Amino acid sequence: MHKHKALVTGGSRGIGAEIAIALRCGGVEVITPSRSELDLLDPVSIDRYIEAHHDDGIDILVNNAGINPIAALEAVSAEDWARTLQVNLTAPFRLIQGFSPGMKSAGWGRVVNVSSIWAVASKGGRASYSSAKSGLIGLTRTTALELAPHGVLVNAVCPGYVETELTRANNTPEQLAAIRGTIPVGRLAQPEEIARFVAFLCSTDNTYLVGQALVIDGGFTCQ
Ligand SMILES: NC(=O)c1ccc[n+]([C@@H]2O[C@H](COP(=O)([O-])OP(=O)(O)OC[C@H]3O[C@@H](n4cnc5c(N)ncnc54)[C@H](OP(=O)(O)O)[C@@H]3O)[C@@H](O)[C@H]2O)c1
């Protein structure tokens, strides 16, 4: 049986590490390059990675890595704005551009972009993050339209609050306790709950979900 091969960015920890586990459980070969192999902040590193691996048979791409530097509008530096757009939006664009030709040739592929609820809603201090994650949904729709005729299905997921280092770094324990009270299911998501959903979108079981930005947030944004 054909073994699918996935490239998962940001696989060292958090949601990305759980996505790698979930895909491996489904029989997929998973590559999770370290930052020294693929630094999404560095366009040259991205180009080199694509050049070296575009013929490796990668037919699943999960653009999971992301950064979220929080700052009030007047304090957003040009550097933080550029870094956030580079890692969260430009890097996924380049990786889709680099790896989709191989998927098209194979006639099968899956791409999942990890966006955020702060793309469908927002919160103070997230100007660069919300902009980048909203852009990622636009990228998801356009690439979905271009690639679907070739058997390559592109979708985005928009997680709510997930128990990861990123969330702990951006919220004090008191803030996290308050946040729990605002989530209808009464708790944050575990990374594996997001990962299971991503693994489904990457699988042969997903045959008709295309170009969607699927919110998975315990009911937070339906209030
Ligand atoms: N946590 C949440 O509540 C939440 C909610 C909605 C959406 N998300 C999104 O979900 C994704 C994963 O979040 P997380 O909470 O699991 O994050 P995390 O625990 O902070 O992990 C971030 C991952 O991204 C990688 N990364 C960061 N900058 C990179 C770069 N320049 N080049 C290569 N890799 C880089 C990190 O690699 P290193 O180990 O090298 O640092 C790490 O593997 C992100 O896109 C985030 O925006 C998270």
Side-chain angles (χ1 to χ4, degrees):
M1 208 177 105
H2 176 69
K3 190 162 178 152
H4 294 289
K5 190 168 183 179
L7 168 61
V8 179
T9 65
S12 65
R13 55 191 151 90
I15 298 170
E18 292 298 329
I19 291 172
I21 291 170
L23 288 172
R24 285 189 183 114
C25 285
V28 175
E29 181 184 345
V30 182
I31 310 163
T32 56
S34 67
R35 204 184 285 216
S36 58
E37 296 168 286
L38 173 60
D39 183 354
L40 302 175
L41 262 178
D42 177 3
V44 175
S45 169
I46 298 172
D47 288 350
R48 277 202 200 114
Y49 193 85
I50 292 169
E51 182 60 32
H53 297 285
H54 71 281
D55 271 345
D56 287 1
I58 290 166
D59 56 5
I60 297 171
L61 169 64
V62 182
N63 283 309
N64 162 76
I67 55 173
N68 183 6
I70 294 175
L73 184 58
E74 59 276 17
V76 176
S77 66
E79 196 202 347
D80 269 355
W81 173 266
R83 285 175 59 235
T84 310
L85 265 80
Q86 170 61 36
V87 174
N88 295 7
L89 181 57
T90 307
F93 159 68
R94 282 292 296 130
L95 292 174
I96 296 171
Q97 209 178 30
F99 287 102
S100 60
M103 299 182 200
K104 281 167 75 172
S105 302
W108 191 94
R110 297 288 182 269
V111 178
V112 176
N113 297 317
V114 180
S115 181
S116 165
I117 48 165
W118 303 137
V120 294
S122 199
K123 188 175 181 182
R126 267 78 174 173
S128 28
Y129 186 75
S130 269
S131 302
K133 293 295 191 182
S134 300
L136 193 55
I137 294 179
L139 178 68
T140 300
R141 293 193 180 116
T142 305
T143 52
L145 291 175
E146 291 193 27
L147 296 173
H150 305 278
V152 180
L153 308 188
V154 185
N155 287 285
V157 293
C158 302
Y161 289 96
V162 187
E163 292 257 11
T164 70
E165 278 176 42
L166 184 69
T167 305
R168 283 188 288 274
N170 285 341
N171 300 280
T172 63
E174 295 72 33
Q175 285 171 324
L176 284 176
I179 285 166
R180 266 179 212 107
T182 65
I183 301 172
V185 298
R187 62 177 178 81
L188 277 66
Q190 291 303 310
E192 53 268 31
E193 295 180 280
I194 311 302
R196 280 198 298 269
F197 187 41
V198 171
F200 163 75
L201 292 171
C202 293
S203 73
T204 50
D205 287 339
N206 174 28
T207 50
Y208 214 65
L209 255 165
V210 180
Q212 300 303 305
L214 299 147
V215 174
I216 171 164
D217 69 349
F220 181 77
T221 50
C222 70
Q223 299 173 96

